[in-house]
Every structure is written in C-alpha cells, then in structure tokens.
Amino acid sequence: QVQLVESGGGLVQAGGSLRLSCVASGNILAVLVMRWYRQAPGKQREYVGTIIRGTSPNYADSVKGRFTISTDNAKNTMYLQMNSLKPEDTAVYYCNERITTLGSTGEYWGKGTLVTVSS
C-alpha cells in the first residue's frame, strides 16, 4: 500500500545542481526515518544521508557540504539538493523510509532516479 517515488534525476554537467524528490503515498500514519542511498554502475549501494524528525540531517563524508536533505512533512516529501556535482556522483539515487501504517512499521524503497554527471 505504501509507495515511494523518486523524481528529479537527469543529466547535468560537473559543478551543476539537481534537486531530487521522494514522495511517499498510501496508508501512512507516520514517517519515522528518511534516507537517501545511491548505487553507481558496477558498485554496491552507498549511503548518502538521513533525516529524522526533530534532528539535523546526517550525511556521508563523500557528499557533506555539497548535498542537503530537507522535508515537507505535510506533503510526505523528502528532498535531496545536490550542488557542486562531480562525475563520481553519477548513480541511481534511491529513497528509503521507515514508515508506520495501521498494521505495522516497515522499511520502504523507491525504484530510484538516475543522476548522470558529465565532465
């Protein structure tokens, strides 16, 4: 019933910016944790950052200072603002959220959005 949908990916030149969105929909009672991950071609999934309600976001060292996570809780939306993009940022970006529904609390994943950074 719960679905996460990422959007905002695309092709950008090195040094440019993109903003990704992750919208959660369904029978949601509460969104407890929101995370971004990414997976580059031929690589393992990599942690990007986390935001938990009432706390400041946490970021991987590889993106700290360049990426910013924010939320619009009324819209069940999480954002990833990416600045000063590098070719090594090229990856499929996934949102991952811990969500409470009427029946349970679980982890949910989106299908990803592709970010390609050219040099």
Side-chain angles (χ1 to χ4, degrees):
Q1 288 184 281
V2 175
Q3 296 184 68
L4 305 182
V5 179
E6 304 95 337
S7 63
L11 176 63
V12 64
Q13 294 181 345
S17 298
L18 284 174
R19 173 177 277 193
L20 307 184
S21 299
C22 175
V23 179
S25 62
N27 187 26
I28 298 169
L29 297 183
V31 179
L32 306 179
V33 183
M34 302 179 182
R35 305 181 186 92
W36 285 101
Y37 290 86
R38 66 187 183 185
Q39 186 168 16
K43 303 295 184 181
Q44 294 295 308
R45 185 186 67 183
E46 178 187 18
Y47 170 78
V48 174
T50 303
I51 187 165
I52 300 173
R53 189 175 185 87
T55 70
S56 298
N58 179 78
Y59 304 98
D61 288 342
S62 59
V63 306
K64 191 173 184 179
R66 300 187 297 120
F67 291 11
T68 303
I69 298 173
S70 61
T71 63
D72 183 339
N73 294 321
K75 299 182 183 297
N76 284 330
T77 301
M78 173 176 62
Y79 303 96
L80 181 66
Q81 178 67 48
M82 305 184 294
N83 299 325
S84 301
L85 283 162
K86 306 173 181 179
E88 64 194 68
D89 295 318
T90 295
V92 176
Y93 284 72
Y94 299 92
C95 59
N96 162 241
E97 300 186 1
R98 178 174 287 270
I99 296 174
T100 296
T101 67
L102 184 63
S104 66
T105 297
E107 297 287 328
Y108 297 88
W109 291 85
K111 294 182 178 179
T113 185
L114 177 63
V115 173
T116 303
V117 184
S118 65
S119 61

